Amino acid sequence: MYAEERQQAIADQVRANGRASVAALATLFDVTSETVRRDLATLERAGHLQRVHGGAVRPGSTPVFGELGIDERQMTHTHEKVAIGRAAIRFLPPDGGSVFFDAGTTTFQAALALPRDRRLTLITHSIPIAAALAGHHSSGLHVLGGRVRGLTQATVGSETVAALERLRISTAFVGANGISESHGLSTPDPDEAAIKAAIVRVANRVVVLSDSSKIDREDLSSFADLADIDVLVTDAGIDPATSAALSVRGIDVVIA
């Protein structure tokens, strides 16, 4: 089956059933999940469907999958996230520098991969990441206060943003739910977007950690432009054309 025929069949599936999951479509058409995601991105740009977490719905539909909680997200693309987290360590600043870990399951893997002999100032607003970093006695750990958003187990709100604005960070490891040329970096929740925007503003180097399922996808709240990114660490599922386009923009694209 040609790509155009498969995409037409996918559009028909979503139109008929109201929704379709990436896993089901991959099985139905005997292709990889990365191929399905690229098809969904093409169909979304043409207005045939709306992508949501885990699949797609009819255009203009209320997303039926919703924003996944941290426990559910830890179970998706686990192998890729572990590899991305390990690859991110090469972008740590020299000893004496500071590192911010944004909330997220991929940034959590970077925290787990952090060498214990590094002498860095570690900062986060994520409760799980703070717990993971608490045993690094050679580094200082700072946890930003604020209202805890249960879905992501991270602090958000004006108090957290104000604390961030007083910092100047060497390197920030940032997560995103969507990355696209037209919408930049995005996330479903405006409060989370405000935190991520502040992180990007105060970091000397912005390293985005994202598996390829988030690329060519858009979520509600944009928090940064592609021009704000220094490095993107992702997996081999990224479309080569997209990778080339990001590189042209001056982004160092690293395949974990």
Side-chain angles (χ1 to χ4, degrees), residues 110-122:
L112 292 181
L114 181 70
R116 290 182 174 268
D117 60 349
R118 297 299 302 271
R119 302 183 66 84
L120 299 164
T121 299
L122 311 176

Side-chain angles (χ1 to χ4, degrees), residues 52-110:
V52 295
H53 283 287
V57 297
R58 293 190 188 105
S61 300
T62 300
V64 294
F65 295 85
E67 183 183 0
L68 298 180
I70 192 168
D71 291 337
E72 294 168 296
R73 286 188 286 124
Q74 283 176 339
M75 302 301 292
T76 63
H77 306 287
T78 304
H79 176 76
E80 291 87 349
K81 291 175 180 179
V82 170
I84 291 167
R86 290 173 178 169
I89 296 306
R90 75 182 73 169
F91 298 103
L92 289 171
D95 281 3
S98 56
V99 186
F100 194 99
F101 291 86
D102 182 22
T105 52
T106 310
T107 49
F108 178 79
Q109 292 299 330

Side-chain angles (χ1 to χ4, degrees), residues 18-21 50-57 61-70 72-73 76 149 151-152 177 187-189 214 217-220:
R19 59 181 287 182
S21 72
Q50 176 183 344
R51 285 189 296 167
V52 295
H53 283 287
V57 297
S61 300
T62 300
V64 294
F65 295 85
E67 183 183 0
L68 298 180
I70 192 168
E72 294 168 296
R73 286 188 286 124
T76 63
R149 185 169 183 251
L151 197 63
T152 56
N177 296 73
T187 194
D189 184 74
K214 313 292 179 57
R217 169 184 164 78
E218 296 177 354
D219 251 306
L220 176 66

Side-chain angles (χ1 to χ4, degrees), residues 174-176 178-180 183-187 200 208 221-226 229:
V174 180
I179 302 172
S180 75
H183 199 49
L185 278 65
S186 57
T187 194
V200 170
V208 176
S221 299
S222 176
F223 63 86
D225 296 327
L226 293 183
I229 304 174

Side-chain angles (χ1 to χ4, degrees), residues 35 42 92 111 126 160 246:
T35 296
T42 299
L92 289 171
S126 163
T160 315
L246 293 174

